[in-house]
Amino acid sequence: MSVMSSVLFLAQVQPVPSPAPAKIDPPALDAVWPILIVLAAACVGVLFEAFLPRHQRWPAQVALSLLALAGAGVALATYLSDAPEAGEMAMFNTLAVDRPALFLWGTLLALSVGAVLLIADRSVEPGGAFVATAAIRPGTVQDRAQVTATGMQTEVFPLTLFALGGMMIFCAANDLLTMFIALEVLSLPLYLMCGLARRRRLLSQEAAVKYFLLGAFASAFFLYGVALLYGYAGSVRLADISAAAAGTDRSDTLLFAGMGLLVVGLLFKASVGPFHTWTPDVYQGAPTPVTAFMAACTKVAAFGGILRVLQVAFESTQWEWRGVLWGVAIASMVIGAILGLTQTDVKRMIAYSSVAHAGFLLIGAIALTDRGLSGTLFYLLTYGFTTLAAFGVISLVRDSSGEATHLSQWAGLAKRSPLVAGVFTFLLLALAGIPLTSGFVGKFVVFEAAIDDGMAPLVVIALVASAVAAFFYLRVIVLMYFSEPAADGPTVTVPGAFTTAAITLGVLVTLLLGILPSFALDWAAGGAFAIR
Amino acid sequence: MTPTYYLLLSALLFTIGAVGVLVRRNAIVVFMCVELMLNAVNLSLVTFARLNGDLHGQVMGFFVMVVAAAEVVVGLAIILSIFRTRRTASVDDSNLLKY
């Protein structure tokens, strides 16, 4: 009765028709199919884990992951054939699908093919590099049994795809909230993947804890930066922040405090300079295929984000903050080059090398010109493939307890396996930036853009740092070729098809971009960021 | 009501969280300090929403809560797995990876 009367009452007091709700068009999806395919395949992968019997999961997951990457690549190529030159906004202006974003998507997809092949390999380590069941406690009877078991925790494939989806969103994000969500979507699966090594599980779990705690700490900084910039500009869209910073009647404290905190979060993810402390530990402790994925793809995504934030949101205030990032780039190059000299573990050595490379990349990123942008994009492409192949090679040198990563164990490797030593030498030379490798072209275009933009002193420091870094790459080469192998030294595993394919991919791209870089340079210079 | 006070409170909470991450030894407590930082950010987001007179900040607060919940799931799983191995959650005892 009372319900009836209230309905009648409502009907009486609301005679005026309510205004028609604003019509919201469904978003056009043609620009974002690559992301949707990757994320959908990740969800299907989770269902596979739930419904397939254990022995069918590995083939199903590998096939699904590779198909998803191929499908996303086809979708990207299809879109690219008639994409608007200036880029377009997708998903209600949260994603900017412009030329740099498309280039980074292509790079990420290609690198992920290599990483998935390394992750899927079961020939180098019988059963794969991943623990059979992550819940088994290290050091127990079950743990010793799982080392020789043939199964692996196949959740790692959907986790890889989720992380990849997050990375793709991250480098196209047009507002800071989307960027934050993407940062978490890419980070959370990586934290878990770090802790899944089959052998040396204590190291692996420790790497996961360190990466998680420091990563969460850094994303809190990122988020506080977002909040302060929202308070400053009244919006988190990059173009709005840029517009607000151009008119100067607001508090600069909020702007620069917010920018500082935001950039600290980004630099942490890119393992730049003084924010690198997690990098060596995590690179060493994580399973090597995951390290390869992290080193290549996270770097690409993080620098994609840094480039977009600096060029779109903060270009108008560059004279205030550029000096600080000069200092950060110098710190990163010096730390990477000097501490890399003292390392005795080959994975840690590559980690410090990645810190030095992050410094070189940052030089390109703070040259706020079109050439700085295209040079940095090209450098990311070359660095990703080289480092992916390097970690692939590192996973091949093994002794009875797993991978032999101590440098003394690599002595005389050329006598045991001339091919592996030759390939690794080539990759180290590429990391050092010797001509005829992609590393040389990458450094050349970045430094050239930096000199054009008036940063000659920084380039001089970078050249000195790369000379110092070249010393520790050459030290490994000398060790492999001119030392006597130890009697109980490691063996070089003959890799199966998957790892061979991944290493070959990395080496071929490194060589090809060293000899014929012009086509990739043209792609990288396809256009600037869309600002809307 | 002076919104500035809320911003100052938020900055204070964020600082307490950050200092806690740096000085505390137990991984769970470190993680709680990170959560404190995220909630301090929520407070400033909501205050800025009030100052700016729009709802975006409040909506972002919801996003942050969801992300924090997801982070708890992943983080506690990782901390628990290392606790079961070592019988301690102290971050000082995780010292195999160094130099």
Side-chain angles (χ1 to χ4, degrees):
Chain A
M1 183 63 202
S2 64
V3 174
M4 192 74 174
S5 62
S6 65
V7 168
L8 286 174
F9 175 73
L10 281 177
Q12 280 167 0
V13 296
Q14 291 186 337
V16 279
S18 57
K23 193 161 174 284
I24 300 176
D25 293 322
L29 294 179
D30 50 340
V32 291
W33 273 118
I35 294 178
L36 295 180
I37 290 172
V38 168
L39 289 179
C43 295
V44 174
V46 173
L47 293 178
F48 278 8
E49 287 300 315
F51 293 113
L52 284 185
R54 196 171 278 270
H55 64 278
Q56 289 179 3
R57 288 181 197 167
W58 183 84
Q61 294 282 19
V62 175
L64 175 71
S65 305
L66 291 175
L67 273 179
L69 293 176
V74 169
L76 183 64
T78 318
Y79 175 71
L80 206 52
S81 61
D82 60 352
E85 191 67 35
E88 65 174 308
M89 298 293 144
M91 306 305 267
F92 304 111
N93 278 342
T94 54
L95 293 180
V97 187
D98 42 25
R99 291 290 156 159
L102 292 169
F103 182 87
L104 289 166
W105 287 1
T107 309
L108 283 172
L109 287 171
L111 288 171
S112 299
V113 171
V116 166
L117 289 174
L118 286 178
I119 288 170
D121 189 275
R122 296 201 292 186
S123 62
V124 176
E125 167 98 52
F130 294 91
V131 65
T133 311
I136 295 176
R137 207 182 333 151
T140 55
V141 181
Q142 293 92 331
D143 187 41
R144 284 190 283 280
Q146 70 87 19
V147 169
T148 48
T150 49
M152 76 189 244
Q153 188 93 43
T154 41
E155 273 92 351
V156 70
F157 293 102
L159 288 176
T160 310
L161 290 180
F162 275 124
L164 173 65
M167 291 168 185
M168 291 170 72
I169 299 172
F170 190 74
C171 36
N174 192 38
D175 65 58
L176 293 174
L177 181 63
T178 311
M179 201 173 247
F180 173 69
I181 304 291
L183 180 73
E184 293 296 322
V185 172
L186 84 87
S187 302
L188 292 178
L190 281 177
Y191 301 149
L192 290 173
M193 287 160 74
C194 285
L196 291 180
R198 178 182 293 265
R199 291 161 182 270
R200 298 186 187 144
R201 294 193 49 212
L202 272 181
L203 289 187
S204 173
Q205 291 185 347
E206 190 178 316
V209 169
K210 284 181 173 171
Y211 193 19
F212 169 72
L213 288 178
L214 291 174
F217 191 47
S219 52
F221 277 98
F222 182 91
L223 193 63
Y224 200 39
V226 174
L228 295 185
L229 288 171
Y230 170 67
Y232 174 75
S235 160
V236 285
R237 189 163 296 164
L238 297 177
D240 291 347
I241 293 170
S242 171
T248 52
D249 57 334
R250 303 173 206 221
S251 150
D252 273 353
T253 320
L254 276 183
L255 173 66
F256 290 113
M259 184 202 169
L261 291 165
L262 183 83
V263 170
V264 165
L266 288 170
L267 293 179
F268 173 89
K269 271 292 151 207
S271 69
V272 180
F275 314 103
H276 69 286
T277 40
W278 59 277
T279 314
D281 287 356
V282 175
Y283 278 23
Q284 186 189 358
T288 306
V290 172
T291 312
F293 179 61
M294 262 193 314
C297 295
T298 311
K299 189 82 89 191
V300 172
F303 267 100
I306 290 176
L307 279 168
R308 186 178 294 277
V309 163
L310 292 185
Q311 293 219 347
V312 176
F314 298 116
E315 201 195 0
S316 52
T317 45
Q318 55 171 306
W319 300 111
E320 276 86 0
W321 53 258
R322 218 169 172 190
V324 179
L325 286 187
W326 267 57
V328 172
I330 294 172
S332 187
M333 291 183 296
V334 170
I335 289 172
I338 304 283
L339 291 184
L341 289 174
T342 64
Q343 298 307 310
T344 53
D345 184 286
V346 67
K347 280 167 91 174
R348 287 184 88 83
M349 192 198 80
I350 304 284
Y352 277 107
S353 137
S354 97
V355 175
H357 280 281
F360 302 143
L361 281 160
L362 192 60
I363 295 179
I366 57 180
L368 297 178
T369 55
D370 286 349
R371 293 176 72 187
L373 171 66
S374 66
T376 314
L377 292 177
F378 180 81
Y379 197 119
L380 284 170
L381 176 71
T382 64
Y383 174 75
F385 277 102
T386 310
T387 193
L388 185 83
F391 279 112
V393 173
I394 287 171
S395 72
L396 299 181
V397 182
R398 315 178 69 84
D399 61 13
S400 58
S401 68
E403 286 164 11
T405 52
H406 199 275
L407 271 181
S408 64
Q409 293 171 297
W410 285 58
L413 198 75
K415 296 197 175 61
R416 290 180 198 276
S417 173
L419 179 64
V420 166
V423 167
F424 200 58
T425 302
F426 175 68
L427 295 170
L428 288 175
L429 291 176
L431 288 175
I434 304 294
L436 289 185
T437 63
S438 62
F440 172 75
V441 186
K443 279 205 178 69
F444 185 80
V445 288
V446 164
F447 292 167
E448 197 190 17
I451 289 178
D452 269 3
D453 207 32
M455 297 196 286
L458 199 53
V459 172
V460 172
I461 297 172
L463 289 174
V464 173
S466 37
V468 175
F471 176 76
F472 65 75
Y473 301 124
L474 291 178
R475 194 180 58 159
V476 179
I477 296 171
V478 169
L479 194 70
M480 287 194 298
Y481 279 91
F482 301 111
S483 306
E484 281 305 309
D488 56 345
T491 53
V492 175
T493 314
V494 177
F498 281 177
T499 297
T500 313
I503 296 175
T504 313
L505 175 74
V507 171
L508 277 184
V509 172
T510 306
L511 185 65
L512 193 66
L513 294 183
I515 300 169
L516 292 169
S518 49
F519 70 98
L521 283 170
D522 288 346
W523 285 342
F529 287 116
I531 300 173
R532 241 162 285 166
Chain B
M1 183 197 115
T2 317
T4 325
Y5 292 148
Y6 292 89
L7 292 180
L8 288 177
L9 175 65
S10 144
L12 184 69
L13 287 174
F14 189 86
T15 315
I16 292 174
V19 172
V21 170
L22 297 176
V23 302
R24 293 306 292 263
R25 290 287 165 254
N26 187 305
I28 302 278
V29 179
V30 170
F31 187 39
M32 281 163 60
C33 290
V34 171
E35 294 294 312
L36 181 64
M37 293 166 78
L38 292 182
N39 283 317
V41 173
N42 270 346
L43 181 58
S44 54
L45 279 173
V46 173
T47 313
F48 280 129
R50 165 98 190 189
L51 279 170
N52 290 335
D54 65 10
L55 284 176
H56 290 115
Q58 299 191 18
V59 175
M60 280 193 274
F62 282 116
F63 275 95
V64 175
M65 282 183 222
V66 173
V67 164
E71 221 168 52
V72 169
V73 173
V74 170
L76 287 187
I78 292 173
I79 294 173
L80 194 68
S81 70
I82 200 165
F83 174 77
R84 279 165 29 120
T85 313
R86 294 175 176 276
R87 293 281 143 207
T88 165
S90 167
V91 286
D92 280 356
D93 292 346
S94 299
N95 57 3
L96 296 170
L97 292 163
K98 54 187 171 186
Y99 309 126

